[in-house]
Amino acid sequence: MSFLYSRKSVSFLLALVFLAGCQSIRTREDIKGTKPAPTNGKTQRPTSPQQPVEDSTPYQPDVQVEEPVAPPPPPAPVIPAMPKIAFILGGGGAKAYAHIGFLHELSRAKVPVYAIGGVEFASPMAALFANREQANDVEWQMFKLKDDEIIKKSLLGNVNKNGDISVMREFYNTAFKNQKAEDFRIPFACPSYNLKKNQALMMNRGGMEQLLSMCMAYPPFFKPFQGNVAAVREVSGLARYLRQKGANFVVFVNVLQVPGGSKPFTLDAAATDNVLWSEIAGLYNKPFAGVDTVITLDTGDYGIMDFDKRREIMNKGADSANRQLKTLTRKWGL
């Protein structure tokens, strides 16, 4: 019995060893790798590990460069439903006579003028219009001025500059007949600059002789009057005043083109006065706070001292104004 039992034990151990050996047997496919997936009869080529692809793009550092951004254009002026239009007539000596042609075209277009202001030589023109609202009266009175009252020339052709503005006294008395600015039909003002106080003033009350003398005195025509000269740069201040009087749309009428042509502003291109007016012309061709629209009258063929060509300058201003007012009146709904 013990012998039989020992044989059975040996057989059982041999069977366990055989089974354990079967678990470690490797086939050819196991040695080569995993078995290929079925290809439905199609032959597959062995695949090789993917090689890294070289990028030919040149290296760029991760730095953000800010491109210069152009400033946005100024918004178009909003035209009120019922515009109360005020006009500022810019300075320019003899070139200011183009404003008379502009006022004629303004009357023909039947544009209502709510208020008006004038700078330097345009201040009496604006005052005359504010008084009677008639362009014909402005022309009539302004052409009474004589050339030699403004610019005195010697026999050799030299110009006596910076004269006394008291020569305008007779003109003031004839044109306004002791009227005061506060009695005009529509609001009026002109800017003056006090040299001692370093302060700009809006002249809108009182007698016209003193008021206009303070607004007109400016080289090369007149020396300061009681320490005051024309505040030719105070366009924004004048616009602000006209808005305070009730205007809701302000137009600046410019008679000074940007320098660059062959015609100087004064008789002597190298004179200090020509440099001064060139700087003012550059200022007038930039935006002004409080001004909605700029009308530039073409006076490039004339200088600020060409008072002997006033009629030509006036007609030139009328032609230039006619073209621009047609566009503006449509925008204004007039």
Side-chain angles (χ1 to χ4, degrees):
M1 283 295 290
S2 60
F3 176 77
L4 293 175
Y5 179 79
S6 61
R7 290 186 61 185
K8 289 181 180 180
S9 298
V10 172
S11 301
F12 179 76
L13 291 174
L14 291 175
L16 289 177
V17 172
F18 178 80
L19 291 175
C22 292
Q23 294 295 326
S24 61
I25 294 176
R26 299 178 64 191
T27 63
R28 293 181 180 179
E29 297 298 333
D30 293 332
I31 295 173
K32 293 181 179 180
T34 54
K35 295 182 180 180
T39 57
N40 298 325
K42 297 181 180 180
T43 305
Q44 276 191 338
R45 295 181 179 179
T47 58
S48 59
Q50 294 184 352
Q51 299 294 328
V53 179
E54 294 184 0
D55 189 3
S56 60
T57 305
Y59 170 74
Q60 294 182 352
D62 188 15
V63 178
Q64 293 183 354
V65 180
E66 294 185 0
E67 296 291 338
V69 180
V78 178
I79 299 175
M82 293 295 292
K84 296 178 180 179
I85 309 169
F87 292 89
I88 297 176
L89 309 183
K95 284 173 172 282
Y97 273 80
H99 290 308
I100 301 177
F102 170 78
L103 292 173
H104 277 299
E105 294 302 318
L106 204 65
S107 300
R108 291 190 183 98
K110 298 181 180 180
V111 176
V113 179
Y114 183 84
I116 193 168
V119 181
E120 194 248 355
F121 236 95
S123 56
M125 302 177 186
L128 287 165
F129 189 85
N131 186 24
R132 297 185 180 180
E133 297 185 87
Q134 295 180 5
N136 289 332
D137 185 61
V138 180
E139 178 184 353
W140 173 253
Q141 299 295 343
M142 290 303 299
F143 274 86
K144 288 181 180 180
L145 279 172
K146 300 177 182 179
D147 296 350
D148 57 2
E149 290 179 340
I150 305 169
I151 299 178
K152 298 185 182 298
K153 296 182 180 180
S154 67
L155 296 176
L156 298 177
N158 297 325
V159 177
N160 180 18
K161 300 185 294 184
N162 295 329
D164 196 321
I165 202 170
S166 60
V167 298
M168 300 287 293
R169 182 173 300 164
E170 182 180 351
F171 165 76
Y172 298 146
N173 295 332
T174 303
F176 298 100
K177 298 178 181 179
N178 299 322
Q179 286 181 293
K180 295 183 178 181
E182 57 265 35
D183 298 330
F184 290 166
R185 292 187 180 184
I186 61 176
F188 159 80
C190 60
S192 177
Y193 184 78
N194 187 278
L195 298 172
K196 185 177 181 179
K197 296 181 180 179
N198 191 24
Q199 182 181 6
L201 305 172
M202 289 298 147
M203 309 302 297
N204 58 82
R205 299 182 63 83
M208 299 309 296
E209 180 178 342
Q210 184 173 14
L211 185 151
L212 289 177
S213 295
M214 295 175 68
C215 291
M216 287 185 66
Y218 205 72
F221 309 109
F222 305 113
K223 60 185 178 182
F225 174 76
Q226 297 179 358
N228 296 275
V229 294
V232 294
R233 295 170 176 81
E234 278 297 316
V235 176
S236 292
L238 185 50
R240 185 165 53 251
Y241 171 79
L242 296 176
R243 289 185 183 276
Q244 291 174 356
K245 301 302 290 185
N248 56 18
F249 197 89
V250 179
V251 179
F252 175 56
V253 187
N254 181 20
V255 296
L256 296 177
Q257 283 73 43
V258 176
S262 58
K263 182 72 176 181
F265 287 99
T266 62
L267 300 179
D268 184 4
T272 304
D273 294 332
N274 187 62
V275 176
L276 173 65
W277 280 96
S278 297
E279 186 269 334
I280 297 170
L283 176 68
Y284 277 11
N285 284 271
K286 295 180 180 179
F288 283 105
V291 173
D292 298 290
T293 297
V294 177
I295 294 177
T296 301
L297 304 180
D298 183 11
T299 60
D301 297 334
Y302 307 95
I304 65 171
M305 304 181 78
D306 289 338
F307 286 94
D308 57 335
K309 300 177 181 178
R310 289 178 289 180
R311 183 69 59 180
E312 299 173 24
I313 296 173
M314 184 189 73
N315 294 333
K316 186 88 170 180
D319 293 339
S320 182
N322 179 269
R323 297 189 297 271
Q324 299 180 66
L325 282 175
K326 287 181 179 179
T327 302
L328 286 175
T329 51
R330 286 195 295 267
K331 290 184 178 179
W332 293 333
L334 300 175

